Amino acid sequence: QEQLVESGGGSVQPGASLRLSCTASGYIHPNYCMGWFRQAPGKERVGVAAFAPDGTTTYGDPSVEGRFTASKDSARNILFLQMNSLRPEDSAMYYCAVGVCPTTTIPDVVSWGQGTQVTVSS
């Protein structure tokens, strides 16, 4: 059973950067993708970015392209999300997920982390 633990969230001003980390433990199917979702209050959870075993990154939200970068330390099984030029609309709970590739929609997901809060406000 895989376990996912996120860290790195916080409160920042618009234009700032944050890097989220997701440490995975337990058995993770070698063909699974790892991804990031986010959920703002009153809104549905949506896929942000996902990282495939072959190194391909898929961005599920066009608003983050060019600002967010997903990467993975495969040796330590840690998924990262580098978030630059943060905007107030990026405020949300960010969740790490593992699932069937591309892991950009909720039905793809087989396991969730507990989430880490990101708040962007002046």
Side-chain angles (χ1 to χ4, degrees):
Q1 182 73 27
E2 59 278 310
Q3 290 187 326
L4 307 172
V5 179
E6 302 97 330
S7 61
S11 295
V12 297
Q13 293 188 337
S17 298
L18 281 174
R19 189 173 82 153
L20 306 183
S21 300
C22 170
T23 301
S25 60
Y27 176 75
I28 296 178
H29 196 285
N31 291 336
Y32 278 174
C33 283
M34 292 183 69
W36 291 99
F37 287 70
R38 65 183 179 185
Q39 187 169 20
K43 296 188 177 181
E44 63 181 23
R45 191 174 299 187
V46 295
V48 176
F51 196 88
D54 65 359
T56 304
T57 303
T58 302
Y59 294 94
D61 185 343
S63 74
V64 309
E65 290 194 53
R67 300 188 299 124
F68 290 13
T69 303
S71 61
K72 186 180 178 186
D73 181 336
S74 295
R76 296 187 296 162
N77 232 9
I78 301 175
L79 182 71
F80 300 101
L81 185 67
Q82 178 67 44
M83 305 186 295
N84 299 327
S85 302
L86 282 162
R87 306 167 180 168
E89 54 265 38
D90 294 318
S91 297
M93 184 72 79
Y94 283 71
Y95 296 91
C96 181
V98 168
V100 178
C101 294
T103 315
T104 53
T105 61
I106 290 176
D108 297 335
V109 177
V110 298
S111 184
W112 295 98
Q114 83 288 351
T116 185
Q117 179 68 41
V118 171
T119 302
V120 185
S121 174
S122 56

